[in-house]
Amino acid sequence: MSIATNGHPAEGDGVSKGRIKVVHIYPREMSIYGDLGNTRCLASRLRWHGYEPVIHQHHPGNDFPTDAHLVLGGGGQDSGQARVEKDLAHNADTLRRLAAGGTPMLMICGMYQLFGNAFVTVEGERLPGIGVLDVTTQGNAKRMVGPVVLETAYGDVVGYENHSGSTQLAPGQQPFGHVKVGMGNNGADRTEGAVTGNVFGSYLHGPVLPANPRLADALIALAVERALGVPFAPGRIDDALADEARRRQVRRLVR
Amino acid sequence: MPGLVVEKVDPRFLTHALADLPRGVVVVTGTNGKTTTTKMLVAILREHGLGVFTNPTGSNFTRGVISSMLAEVPMSGRLKADIAVLELDEAHALKFAAAVKPTYSLLLNVARDQLDRFAEIDHTAKLLAELAQQTTTGVVLNIDDSFVSRIADRVREGVKVTYFGVDPSIADRLPELQEADVRFEDSFAPPPPTAADGLLKPHDERSFEVRFGDTERVGPMVLKQRGLAAMINAAAATSMAKALLANEFREAGAVRALERVEPPFGRGEVIDADGQPLELVLVKNPAGFTVALGTYGSAPVTTMVAITDDYADGRDVSWLYDVSFESLRDKGVGLTSGVRAYDMALRLKYDDVSVAEVEPDLQAALEHFLTAYRNEPKRIFCTYTAMMALRRDLAARYGLAKFGEDPA
């Protein structure tokens, strides 16, 4: 019997180290696989580190908050993608400008695809993406579904993929990680996701941030530096549960 | 598995065995509430004197149906029953319909569930619509779930459409029952309810009636199973029974039957554990877990949460982040268990719910839970395979009926 160290992390001396604005784009249309957990995770961790999170949900048709410090997007259904297309095209310049300026972003699954150059459907129709990541996705009849373990700059990352698109990185495009277990971008080249500057694209649900707190804190550090112009000053967070959960998944899956 | 063998050897077995049942074949499907609703419908029909063939609790794949038939089919290969009422998984319902066209279908709801199998909610909704198209006589639809109610314009000509749902007076409780965030406005609006449609009208936490039009009432009644979801299942079963029985339907008989129905295994079943009640609550998806927490949230007791990720559970545990666990915050959670015990404890941490202990091994966890909290009421929320394992242990420990012996 192991005892959980569910310690509630110290929240500093109560004085906020600064406000961080986290924007979740299309939480209704593009979050059916638990990706809202990434937003929940960042909000809690910001608080635990002593910062003041401000969560903004961006819905189609609303003004896009240009003062975003961190932008998150998730996976949705085909019908969800269709519902956000127009708004995404409308805000593409803003998102590209934020990305070029170093605003950290995490785009999962469907939004990862839409941040690429294009999605080509099974029928051959080419749906343009916003081109922040130099990737192109081809629709497939067969889905790639299952648990994933990646080797990344943030250590082993665990998650769950569930996508029909097969994504190819353009020459020179960095992947987010390399597949130890699972299919990744396309099931062939062992790459998973894509990283350009501070923009991360990945197929990993899980949700990926609570399960992999190093990645979460890396995004927070980038957001803090950009928002406040000072280095990230982390608080002490007990990540024993996340670490043990991840270790167990890696042990189960990697043979 | 005998059902699997027969399915492979003689795919026409089903068609043959179910042909010519005088009152046909009823299929019950949807994301949540299949098992409970099927049990309720069977009870009502039997109370009206019908011989009912049904598949045992939760065996909602085609071969489960065949397995249960093997015991009852005589040499002729035809079932001796008036009617069959079958609970089928959304995907298998269609497979089944390819062999046997349902006479009636009762379509309960659509929610995020095991997206590793069904990929998309839209896809699940499509499966239900296709089942409705295969149905020959009547469909009963959830009027409050736009994924289901809009199937009305998809049925074959001449097929009768009726509805069940909630009375407008409690429409404000619908958000806790279904996922508003995946339902978008669309052009389809269901017709206003008629006297053929059963609407749930609760009187308090336990007592309710099902209203048909302005004058007809079934109830008031009190179910053994608690919660709004069970009441809605009762409204669904009652509406289906009324559509089937027409003039033979007896209000008093329906109430008598519904009030006697025991919660199916693991669906709010209460076990006497050393003199203290232990509730076993199956949770399979965000909508189901949210409803379960709402049902039991008003009476917090010592809690264990067991999460496994086998195929039958859904292998992706992301869905735990689409559930809010704040109602567990005051009391905390005694124990998390199952192969994803640490993931569950982590999830609770993000909702500021304390977890006293984490024990992935189900048997060890149960042993500890029963011992450490011996003198108080307890509750276990568990995924499907965790429930099967825990219940097997509990059955051995407290001499309970085993699976398949569920007195329907």
Side-chain angles (χ1 to χ4, degrees), chain A residues 174-196:
Chain A
Q174 291 300 307
F176 166 56
H178 288 94
V179 175
K180 283 182 164 179
V181 177
M183 303 295 279
N185 280 329
N186 47 50
D189 65 12
R190 306 201 71 74
T191 65
E192 204 293 322
V195 183
T196 297

Side-chain angles (χ1 to χ4, degrees), chain A residues 1-4 6-9 27-29 31-37 40-41 44-45 47-48 76-80 83 143 145-147 160 162 205-207 209-211 237-242 244-245 248-249 252-253, chain B residues 112 115-117 119-123 147 180-185 309-310 314-319 321-326 335 339-340 342-343 345-360 364-365 368:
Chain A
M1 178 75 49
S2 53
I3 305 297
N6 197 46
H8 286 261
R28 278 172 54 95
E29 294 80 5
S31 184
I32 63 161
Y33 302 95
D35 298 322
L36 284 172
R40 202 190 283 267
C41 169
S44 293
R45 295 187 77 83
R47 220 170 40 246
W48 296 342
Q77 317 195 61
D78 293 346
S79 62
R83 287 190 179 92
R143 291 188 83 86
V145 183
Y160 196 92
N162 188 350
H205 304 292
L209 294 185
I237 299 181
D238 181 351
D239 283 320
L241 291 173
E244 183 60 23
R248 282 169 179 266
Q249 275 301 87
R252 276 174 89 191
L253 298 169
Chain B
R112 286 183 181 87
L115 293 174
D116 55 327
R117 270 169 62 203
E120 297 199 339
I121 310 167
D122 291 343
H123 177 64
F147 276 128
D181 61 326
V182 293
R183 284 165 176 74
F184 295 88
E185 286 170 28
D309 65 359
D310 287 344
R315 299 182 66 204
D316 183 7
V317 295
S318 300
W319 65 276
Y321 283 81
D322 285 326
V323 181
S324 170
F325 294 95
E326 284 162 18
L335 201 65
V339 71
R340 304 306 289 267
Y342 281 92
D343 299 83
L346 176 65
R347 171 67 195 93
L348 291 167
K349 175 179 167 165
Y350 274 107
D351 269 359
D352 292 324
V353 177
S354 67
V355 177
E357 283 167 276
V358 182
E359 172 50 69
H368 178 75

Side-chain angles (χ1 to χ4, degrees), chain A residues 15-93:
Chain A
V15 180
S16 168
K17 296 175 186 169
R19 282 170 58 137
I20 304 295
K21 184 159 182 171
V22 178
V23 175
H24 188 125
I25 53 176
Y26 316 130
R28 278 172 54 95
E29 294 80 5
M30 299 296 289
S31 184
I32 63 161
Y33 302 95
D35 298 322
L36 284 172
N38 289 331
T39 308
R40 202 190 283 267
C41 169
L42 287 177
S44 293
R45 295 187 77 83
L46 279 164
R47 220 170 40 246
W48 296 342
H49 283 305
Y51 296 89
E52 184 192 346
V54 178
I55 306 298
H56 179 98
Q57 303 201 327
H58 173 71
H59 301 292
N62 293 354
D63 290 337
F64 193 88
T66 50
D67 57 347
H69 300 133
L70 214 166
V71 184
L72 295 169
Q77 317 195 61
D78 293 346
S79 62
Q81 296 206 12
R83 287 190 179 92
V84 307
E85 251 166 36
K86 213 176 106 192
D87 187 81
L88 186 65
H90 179 72
N91 290 302
D93 282 340

Side-chain angles (χ1 to χ4, degrees), chain B residues 85-121:
Chain B
V85 178
L86 304 174
E87 166 200 353
L88 291 170
D89 172 291
E90 298 92 312
H92 286 79
L94 266 191
K95 229 174 143 183
F96 174 84
V100 183
K101 298 267 171 284
T103 321
Y104 281 88
S105 293
L106 171 52
L107 307 182
L108 297 173
N109 49 58
V110 175
R112 286 183 181 87
D113 182 37
Q114 303 187 15
L115 293 174
D116 55 327
R117 270 169 62 203
F118 294 112
E120 297 199 339
I121 310 167

Side-chain angles (χ1 to χ4, degrees), chain B residues 9 14 35 78 88 115 117 134 152 154 183 289 305 347 352 361 366:
Chain B
V9 173
L14 264 183
T35 301
R78 291 185 190 250
L88 291 170
L115 293 174
R117 270 169 62 203
Q134 305 282 320
R154 298 281 301 276
R183 284 165 176 74
F289 211 151
V305 186
R347 171 67 195 93
D352 292 324
D361 184 84
L366 183 64

Side-chain angles (χ1 to χ4, degrees), chain A residues 90-109:
Chain A
H90 179 72
N91 290 302
D93 282 340
T94 307
L95 284 163
R96 282 191 285 256
R97 200 164 50 242
L98 286 170
T103 302
M105 303 188 186
L106 175 66
M107 295 297 141
I108 301 297
C109 197

